[in-house]
Structures are given as C-alpha cells and as structure tokens.
Amino acid sequence: MRVGIVGAGLVGSTAGYAMVLGGIATDIVFVDINSALARAQAEDILHATPVSTPARVIAGDYEALAGSSVVILACGASQKPGETRLQLLGRNRAIFEEVTAKVLRHAPGSILLVASNPVDIMTYVVSACAGAPATRVIGSGTILDTARFRALLGETLGISPQSVHAHVLGEHGDSEVLIWSSADVGGVPLEEVARRMGSPLTAEAKRRIDERVRRAAYTIIEGKGATWYGIGAALARIVQAVRDDERTVFTLSSTDTPGYENVSLSLPRVVGAGGICATLPPSLSAEERFLLDRSAEILRKASEGR
Ligand SMILES: NC(=O)c1ccc[n+]([C@@H]2O[C@H](COP(=O)([O-])OP(=O)(O)OC[C@H]3O[C@@H](n4cnc5c(N)ncnc54)[C@H](O)[C@@H]3O)[C@@H](O)[C@H]2O)c1
C-alpha cells in the first residue's frame, strides 16, 4: 500500500516511522513545503527498513502522491507569538484548502486522514473543499484521547487497557466528553469491575482520570514541547485498518455525524477499506448527551469562525 504524508514534521515523520516498524505500507511518500526536511526524514526512516520491514520511503512533490491509497495531512503552521487561535485557524484553513486541492489532483482516489490541529475544524475544512464522500475524509479526532482514557483505566484497575472498552467523544480538545456510563470490561460495567478489583471509581478518582485525559497534551507539551508518539502510532493503526479492511471501531472525527449538522466531531466509527464504513450512535447518559451537544456547538461556532 502506498501512503502519502503531507507534513514531514514530528507527527508526520513519526506516523511514517510507525508504519515502517509495523510493516503497514510498502511505499511511503513525504511531501513538505520544506523539501530538505522531507528528504531528510525519508532518508532517515529508509535506514530503519533493513532492520524492521521492507518499504520504499521517498520524498517528492505532490505528483509523487499518485497511487496513494491514504494521504495523511500532518502539515500546518504553528501559533506565532501574539497570534490568537482564530488567526492561526484562518492561516491553517488557507493552507488546507490549497493542500487538499493539490493532493486530490494527483491522488484523486485517496482517503484523506487529517491529523493537524484543531483537528475537527481542519477535518471540516478538508471535507468541505474535497468534494469527496464524508466517509473518505477521516480526522484522527479523539482516537488518542480514547487511548489515554483506556490506558489510565487499565492502570487504575490493574487490567490490560486492551480489555477496557471506554470512549472519548466530541472535540479533540477541551470540551471532549469521557463516556463513563457505557464503559465496560469483559461486558461487566466499569464501576462493578472497579469495586471487584479493589479500586472503586469514586467521584474523586473519576475527576482525576478526567483531568489526566483532558490535560494530557498540555502536560506532555510542558515537558517536551509537542506530542508525537501517541498520534503517530494512532495514524499508523488507522492506515492498517483501512489496508486490511478490518472494520475496527475507533473514535474518529467526521462530518457524517448523525444528530449534528455542519460540524465534524468524534463518534465511534467502523473503519475499513472504504474509510469510515459506519458510524455507531453511542448510548449516553443525560449528562453525557448535554456535554456532547455543548462540544458540538463549540466546534460549530469555531468552524464558522465565530
Ligand atoms: N490530532 C492529534 O491528536 C495531534 C497530536 C499532536 C499534534 N497534532 C497536530 O499535528 C500538526 C503537526 O504537528 P507537528 O508537531 O508535526 O508540527 P511540525 O511543525 O513539526 O510539522 C509541520 C510541518 O508542516 C509543514 N508545512 C507547513 N505548511 C505547509 C504546506 N503549506 N505544505 C506542506 N507542508 C507544510 C512544515 O514545514 C512542517 O514540517 C499540528 O497541527 C499539531 O497540532 C495533532
């Protein structure tokens, strides 16, 4: 499978590296406005292939994306001193309109996988200008927040996070919603499992987990300036699910959001060869529904530049 990556910075290069380690792509193509960086990343990652899995890793211009099944969009400007989030959004919107048109000119059949922040709004922008079915424009959304939630619950319960089923929905950001009401381990409600494992989920324990999930990016950025491993691995995992037509469920951002109009946000999505094959409307408590509605409204306003 040929995978394009536009944006060869920390996130894009880590996604490429994770795909090489996981044997997920046979061809990886980096495109960046900084062509020297794209070339350097491609060369460095290529040197991992003899000791991991074989893949052709190159850098090029947009023409080199021809034949890509998936193109990851991890490019973008970062905030300048004194610049507001909305000003940054305006600049990134312009970049994404241009990049999407160029990608689709050379790789018209590709699935677009958006990682750049604010990811829900960028997914909305890409969907609007791609003219492709919503199923073929995927935002990484809350896949990472869901992973953080499951990892923390696993740690608290002393159970593998792979056996913990819990989701984070809505915005990838401050208004995201941790869904406690339907979380379970082996089909047993989370609260019951927690009592049985000797670590009851008190209001205080839940508050601490919520805080650590919601603030994870801030804490990591404080320590090392940016985040890249978690999202890089998540992007590679989504590509793998597309390649193998897995029909795995991830929480991802899309404009196909039953119950919400003119917005892109994360809900549980079934991912296979065609991109998002189905969206599963979640069952929520009244409070979770209220918080998800609020998150959608925040995103809708930001998408409209309000
Ligand atoms: N979705 C998530 O969970 C998540 C997690 C971490 C970071 N991110 C986001 O991913 C994006 C990339 O982060 P990063 O740390 O890799 O940043 P980075 O600055 O290291 O990389 C961005 C790259 O984009 C390139 N670029 C800028 N404008 C371009 C254009 N017009 N065409 C092609 N390339 C262009 C830059 O040259 C740079 O190499 C950011 O928006 C960041 O906020 C998302």
Side-chain angles (χ1 to χ4, degrees), residues 205-275:
K206 283 168 131 182
R207 193 199 58 73
R208 271 203 309 272
I209 290 175
D210 182 292
E211 167 99 1
R212 281 183 67 192
V213 172
R214 201 177 298 278
R215 304 279 315 160
Y218 295 106
T219 314
I220 296 169
I221 288 170
E222 240 174 71
K224 62 177 212 172
T227 70
W228 57 88
Y229 290 121
I231 184 63
L235 292 168
R237 186 67 191 86
I238 297 165
V239 173
Q240 185 180 32
V242 171
R243 183 196 67 181
D244 296 342
D245 193 18
E246 280 181 24
R247 301 188 160 244
T248 296
V249 175
F250 301 114
T251 55
L252 296 169
S253 194
S254 163
T255 53
D256 181 16
T257 51
Y260 300 99
E261 297 206 329
N262 301 324
V263 72
S264 185
L265 52 73
S266 283
L267 294 175
R269 319 275 184 182
V270 182
V271 176

Side-chain angles (χ1 to χ4, degrees), residues 172-227:
H172 167 60
D174 295 346
S175 74
E176 65 192 29
V177 188
L178 278 67
I179 308 299
W180 294 92
S181 64
S182 57
D184 78 87
V185 177
V188 181
L190 189 66
E191 309 248 345
E192 204 176 313
V193 176
R195 269 196 303 278
R196 190 133 344 147
M197 298 303 284
S199 19
L201 286 170
T202 59
E204 176 52 22
K206 283 168 131 182
R207 193 199 58 73
R208 271 203 309 272
I209 290 175
D210 182 292
E211 167 99 1
R212 281 183 67 192
V213 172
R214 201 177 298 278
R215 304 279 315 160
Y218 295 106
T219 314
I220 296 169
I221 288 170
E222 240 174 71
K224 62 177 212 172
T227 70

Side-chain angles (χ1 to χ4, degrees), residues 2-306:
R2 189 177 185 87
V3 180
I5 302 177
V6 182
L10 294 166
V11 170
S13 62
T14 309
Y17 183 55
M19 283 192 284
V20 162
L21 294 189
I24 292 169
T26 54
D27 292 86
I28 297 174
V29 182
F30 283 104
V31 177
D32 198 292
I33 201 167
N34 180 347
S35 53
L37 176 69
R39 274 197 307 277
Q41 297 285 31
E43 199 173 343
D44 196 7
I45 293 171
L46 180 71
H47 298 165
T49 60
V51 289
S52 52
T53 62
R56 288 169 289 271
V57 188
I58 61 164
D61 211 334
Y62 284 87
E63 292 83 13
L65 295 176
S68 299
S69 304
V70 179
V71 177
I72 296 173
L73 304 182
C75 53
S78 48
Q79 218 155 343
K80 287 182 180 165
E83 188 177 43
T84 67
R85 272 187 71 223
L86 277 183
Q87 285 166 334
L88 173 68
L89 187 58
R91 282 202 295 139
N92 268 339
R93 194 188 293 268
I95 290 176
F96 270 73
E97 283 168 359
E98 191 191 323
V99 165
T100 304
K102 285 186 186 164
V103 169
L104 291 179
R105 193 172 313 137
H106 298 286
S110 59
I111 288 169
L112 302 177
L113 176 51
V114 185
S116 304
N117 276 321
V119 69
D120 301 292
I121 296 166
M122 290 304 125
T123 306
Y124 184 78
V125 169
V126 171
S127 295
C129 59
T135 51
R136 300 185 74 80
V137 179
I138 307 174
S140 59
T142 54
I143 188 171
L144 189 53
D145 314 81
T146 290
R148 288 168 176 157
F149 190 23
R150 293 173 69 197
L152 282 179
L153 285 172
E155 189 183 273
T156 307
L157 302 173
I159 290 176
S160 162
Q162 308 228 341
S163 299
V164 177
H165 300 287
H167 302 94
V168 179
L169 306 181
E171 179 193 7
H172 167 60
D174 295 346
S175 74
E176 65 192 29
V177 188
L178 278 67
I179 308 299
W180 294 92
S181 64
S182 57
D184 78 87
V185 177
V188 181
L190 189 66
E191 309 248 345
E192 204 176 313
V193 176
R195 269 196 303 278
R196 190 133 344 147
M197 298 303 284
S199 19
L201 286 170
T202 59
E204 176 52 22
K206 283 168 131 182
R207 193 199 58 73
R208 271 203 309 272
I209 290 175
D210 182 292
E211 167 99 1
R212 281 183 67 192
V213 172
R214 201 177 298 278
R215 304 279 315 160
Y218 295 106
T219 314
I220 296 169
I221 288 170
E222 240 174 71
K224 62 177 212 172
T227 70
W228 57 88
Y229 290 121
I231 184 63
L235 292 168
R237 186 67 191 86
I238 297 165
V239 173
Q240 185 180 32
V242 171
R243 183 196 67 181
D244 296 342
D245 193 18
E246 280 181 24
R247 301 188 160 244
T248 296
V249 175
F250 301 114
T251 55
L252 296 169
S253 194
S254 163
T255 53
D256 181 16
T257 51
Y260 300 99
E261 297 206 329
N262 301 324
V263 72
S264 185
L265 52 73
S266 283
L267 294 175
R269 319 275 184 182
V270 182
V271 176
I276 294 175
C277 316
T279 293
L280 309 175
S283 58
L284 303 172
S285 69
E287 188 190 3
E288 290 161 353
R289 172 65 60 195
F290 169 81
L291 292 171
L292 188 59
D293 289 352
R294 196 185 62 160
S295 186
E297 189 51 27
I298 288 170
L299 286 173
R300 196 176 297 115
K301 281 186 181 158
S303 304
E304 290 163 0
R306 282 194 273 153

